[in-house]
Amino acid sequence: MKIPAEWIISTEKIQNQDRITIRFYKLQVWIDQVKQFSGVRWEPSIKAWHIADCAEHRKILGMPPKDVVGNSINNLLQTDETRKQQLQKFSVWMRSHRYSEIGRAHV
């Protein structure tokens, strides 16, 4: 399965369970694609699809194994290129939801 670059993939606790969340602009093609994952569910409160945080799903999504990502210190090991890709994905997501990339200064 080819994962679109526009998908924003992260991990979260949902109902005390470790889950992988998948966010993207609403396109039927992507909805059909995400529904191919076993146990996928839509969570309206966070406006994201989520699946079990397991080795199989991490491998399909191109995420590192769970034991490698234990804490925030490990996130510092990511390359600058990976960070740029993540920032680009987030920017696309923000624009698709009509958020500005430049925040307003509070007076």
Side-chain angles (χ1 to χ4, degrees):
M1 173 187 302
K2 187 174 189 297
I3 305 302
E6 295 82 4
W7 286 15
I8 307 297
I9 301 166
S10 62
T11 57
E12 294 184 35
K13 281 246 187 228
I14 299 174
Q15 297 176 351
N16 292 326
Q17 295 179 355
D18 290 332
R19 305 289 286 178
I20 298 172
T21 58
I22 305 169
R23 292 177 171 89
F24 49 82
Y25 184 71
K26 187 177 179 179
L27 288 176
Q28 190 60 47
V29 174
W30 290 348
I31 293 170
D32 294 341
Q33 188 174 357
V34 80
K35 285 182 176 181
Q36 293 177 8
F37 285 99
S38 61
V40 67
R41 288 183 278 182
W42 170 253
E43 182 59 48
S45 64
I46 61 171
K47 296 183 180 177
W49 293 93
H50 60 97
I51 55 178
D53 189 352
C54 65
E56 178 186 351
H57 290 154
R58 282 179 170 268
K59 184 176 180 180
I60 293 169
L61 294 170
M63 298 173 69
K66 195 172 184 176
D67 58 343
V68 172
V69 181
N71 56 43
S72 61
I73 294 172
N74 287 334
N75 291 335
L76 296 174
L77 300 176
Q78 293 179 347
T79 65
D80 286 343
E81 190 59 36
T82 302
R83 290 178 190 268
K84 286 178 188 176
Q85 289 173 355
Q86 288 176 338
L87 183 58
Q88 179 63 30
K89 285 181 182 181
F90 183 69
S91 294
V92 168
W93 184 86
M94 292 290 284
R95 283 192 305 271
S96 73
H97 287 79
R98 300 183 186 259
Y99 286 97
S100 171
E101 288 185 23
I102 302 171
R104 295 184 192 188
H106 291 85
V107 178

